[in-house]
Amino acid sequence: MKDKFFLVITTTIAAILISNFSFKKFEKQSFSTRPVQDTVKVDSIAIDSLLIEGDFTYKLYKKKAHASYYAKKFHGKRTASGARFDNNKLTAAHRKFAFGTILRITNERNGKHVIVTVTDRGPFVRGREIDLSRRAFMQITSNKGGGETSVTIEVMKKK
């Protein structure tokens, strides 16, 4: 009986030490694990329910903005907001908009649009206005081989 108790205690202590060690190791490797101060808390209402309710409008921010999409190597990395980036979600990176801002991005060539949430800072390439997740970019583009397109950016506003 004492042997089982001793085994459970040592296993628990070992698990705690290992988890603390791996967490500290992760913190040293990442740039920042804290969310940035300008993080905006998104309402608990999902974007889909906002679309159904329809009590919002869009305000034009910029036409003929240059858009691109994230490379695969950023999948799973931390964003500037502190969240993990997922290329399969409808998110975007912008230099000025607060985190949590909901945008409608419309491809000017074919009229397709997508609604995304700002979760990161960037793009850091001169001439580009917004970076979209791969899923968002592929929903609005007609040329699946291209990596950039001209878009209109509109900000969602409540009525």
Side-chain angles (χ1 to χ4, degrees):
M1 186 70 173
K2 288 182 182 180
D3 293 332
K4 287 184 181 179
F5 178 75
F6 180 74
L7 180 65
V8 169
I9 295 297
T10 55
T11 307
T12 306
I13 292 172
I16 291 170
L17 291 175
I18 289 171
S19 67
N20 285 342
F21 174 75
S22 63
F23 181 74
K24 288 179 183 175
K25 185 177 178 184
F26 175 75
E27 280 186 342
K28 289 178 184 175
Q29 291 176 350
S30 66
F31 293 106
S32 174
T33 56
R34 297 179 329 181
V36 178
Q37 292 299 327
D38 70 344
T39 302
V40 174
K41 296 193 182 215
V42 180
D43 294 336
S44 60
I45 303 170
I47 293 174
D48 294 334
S49 64
L50 283 174
L51 295 176
I52 293 169
E53 290 177 18
D55 60 347
F56 60 90
T57 59
Y58 291 103
K59 182 180 178 186
L60 179 64
Y61 174 73
K62 189 170 186 180
K63 285 190 171 206
K64 295 183 182 177
H66 197 120
S68 59
Y69 66 90
Y70 279 89
K72 291 180 182 178
K73 69 180 181 179
F74 295 110
H75 184 76
K77 305 272 182 169
R78 285 205 183 265
T79 62
S81 66
R84 295 247 180 227
F85 174 69
D86 187 354
N87 242 338
N88 300 313
K89 292 188 177 179
L90 298 175
T91 59
H94 196 272
R95 287 184 220 113
K96 296 179 183 176
F97 288 123
F99 299 132
T101 303
I102 300 172
L103 305 173
R104 180 167 67 178
I105 310 298
T106 306
N107 187 335
E108 293 181 350
R109 292 187 183 138
N110 59 17
K112 292 182 181 179
H113 69 273
V114 66
I115 296 174
V116 297
T117 305
V118 176
T119 59
D120 201 5
R121 291 287 169 245
F124 299 108
V125 176
R126 181 177 270 174
R128 291 193 189 157
E129 183 75 26
I130 192 164
D131 264 344
L132 301 172
S133 64
R134 185 170 174 84
R135 179 178 173 200
F137 189 84
M138 291 304 163
Q139 282 187 7
I140 64 170
T141 189
S142 49
N143 179 11
K144 303 298 183 194
E148 40 194 40
T149 189
S150 181
V151 297
T152 299
I153 302 173
E154 298 169 294
V155 181
M156 180 188 280
K157 299 279 184 183
K158 289 186 179 181
K159 286 184 181 178

